[in-house]
Amino acid sequence: MDFLVEVLGDALEALFGFGSELRQVLGLTLVVSLLATVFGVVVGVPLGTWVALRRTRVRTAWLVAVNIGMGVPPVLAGLALLLVLWDTGPLGGLGLLFTPAAMVAAQTMLAIPIAAGVTAGAIKGLPPAASEQLAALALSGWERGRVMLVEVWPGVVAAVAAAFGRVVSEVGAVLVVGGNIVGETRVLTTAIVQETRQANFGDALALGLLLIILAAAVNGFLTWMQLRSGRHE
Amino acid sequence: MNERLDLRFPADGSVLSIDGLELRSGERLVVFGPNGAGKSTLLRLLAGTLAGGPALEAAYLPQRPYLFRGSAGFNMGLGLSAEEAVRSRQLADRLGVGELLIYAASSLSGGEAQRVALARTLARPEPWVLLDEPLSAQDARDRMKVASVLIDGLGGRGAVIVTHDREEAAVLGDRMAVVVNGHLLQEGPVAEVFSLPLSDEVAAAVGIGNVIDGVVIEGEGPLNSLRAGGLTIWGLGDVPAGNPGRAVFGAESVTLFRGSDGAAGSARNRWVGQVTEVRQLGRLVEIVIDAGVRVVALVTPGSQEVLQLQPGAGVTATVKAAAVRVNPT
C-alpha cells in the first residue's frame, strides 16, 4: 500500500512539475496522432463507403481485407514500414526512418482500416429500405457516397474516434519506426515504456494520466459532435 | 413502345416465374396479389435494383420510401435536374406537402414522406414509372386526391403499380395482372378481372367474390347451368353436363332489388333471398344474401340506404350469365 501511495505522490508531483520535456512529448503525441487520424480518416472513410456500396463479391474480399487490417498488431505494421524505410530498403533514400514523419505514416496505416471498417459497418447497419431507395434514385457514384456519408454521420464520427483511439494508444509502431529518441521522436506511450523500464513508476504513471486526459478530451469533443448531429436529424 | 417481359427470380424461378408480362405504353398496369406473392420482387426486377431482370428505363418508388438526413426538400431534389425539381415542387404543392419541404425529413409522417417521394418519382423523366403500393401510407380521406394527382403526374406514361388493395387497384389501374405465389394467374382489364376471375385462386385473391360449388346440369354453347343448393346458376363455361362444377363471379356483378318481384331484365340469373349480413368495406358496402346458397354483393352506401338493405330484408339478386364463369372442379 505504501508503495502505491508513494508512486501516486510521485506521479502528481511530476504532473504539476510539467517540465519542458514533458510538454514536448505531449505536443509530439498530439501532432503525430492527430495527423495520422486525419490521413487515416480521409482515406479510410471513403474507402469504407465504397466497399459498403459495392454489391458484388469484390465487396466481400474488401471487407475481409479491412477486417484483417483492423486486427494487425501495431508492431507488425511498424516492422513493415521499417523494412521499407531502412537505409537499403526501397524508400531508404528518403531518410524518413526515426523521424516523426515515419511515425505518422505508421499510424496512418493503422488508422485506415479502422476508419474504413467502422464506416462500412455503419452503412451496412442502415435499413434495407435505405439502400433500395438509394439505388432507386439513380444518382452518380459521387452523390450516392455523399448522401450515404451524411446519412451515417454519427458513424463517421465514431470512425474518427476509433481511429484516434487506436493510434494514440499504440506503442509498437511508433517505437519501431520512431526509435523513442528524446526530444525528437518520443511520444507518451513510448515514454511510458521507457520510464517503466527504468523503474520511474511515478513518471510513468504521470504520463499515463496525461494520455488518458488527452484521449478523454478528444473523445469528449467527438461525442459532442455526435450528439449535436443527432439533434439536427 | 410496348414490352413483353419474362421475369424470373432467382434463376430457378422459385420466388417469381412469369412469362410474357405485357406492358403497354400509356397504360397503367396494376400488379395485384396478396402479401408475399412476389409483387415487389417483380417491380424491383423491372427497376433494376434487383439484378437479373429486364430492367426498364423507369422512375421507381419503393414500397417504403426512405428519406435521408436533411430537409424534405433536399430529399425531393435528389437525382432531379433543375427543371424536374420545379415540376416536383408543383406536384408536392398539389399533394399538399409543399409547405413541409423546409422541415427535416424525419419530422414528416409516413403519409407525408410517401407523398414527397411520390412527387420526386413522378417528376423524373423516364418513359416508365414503377410504383410500389403508392397509396399505402395515405389516410382514407386523402387517398382519392393523391390518386388523381398521381394519374395526372404520370402524364400518359406507362406505369406498373403494385398493390394488394382492391380499391387502389380499381382506381389506379387500366389493366390488372393477378400474381399469386410468384405466378401470373390472370391478366386483363381491371373490371373484367374483378368481375370474371378465371380461377378460384384469382377469385380468392381479388377478394369478395362468389365461389359456388354444384353440379353442371346443362351445357348449351358457351353457357353452362349449375345446380347448387336449390339455385340454378347460369354462366360461361364448357363443362359437360353431369360433372361437378364451380361458379365464380365478382360481388360487383351482383345487382340487388328490394322484394321478390324485382326487375325484369336481361339478367339470366334471378335469385330471391334474404340479407344476412351487412359490412362496410372501404367506400362500398358488402351485402351477404342467403338465397339457398350464400351470395355476396357489393353496393354503394347510397344504394344500401335507398333499398334499406338491412339484415332480414327480402331481396332479389340478379347477375348476367356473361359475368359468371363456370369452371370444372
Side-chain angles (χ1 to χ4, degrees), chain A residues 99-178:
Chain A
T99 67
M103 295 156 72
V104 171
Q107 292 200 331
T108 300
M109 286 166 59
L110 298 172
I112 288 172
I114 290 271
V118 173
T119 305
I123 290 177
K124 285 198 300 158
L126 286 173
S131 50
E132 176 74 1
Q133 180 66 72
L134 200 62
L137 289 172
L139 299 173
S140 72
W142 258 138
E143 288 175 305
R144 272 158 55 95
R146 190 172 61 92
V147 170
M148 243 342 158
L149 278 186
V150 173
E151 188 63 17
V152 297
W153 180 243
V156 174
V157 176
V160 176
F164 180 75
R166 166 112 155 139
V167 299
V168 79
S169 63
E170 72 86 23
V171 59
V174 277
L175 189 58
V176 171
V177 300

Side-chain angles (χ1 to χ4, degrees), chain A residues 176-191:
Chain A
V176 171
V177 300
N180 193 28
I181 303 166
V182 183
E184 285 183 34
T185 59
R186 177 165 292 182
V187 289
L188 282 171
T189 51
T190 56

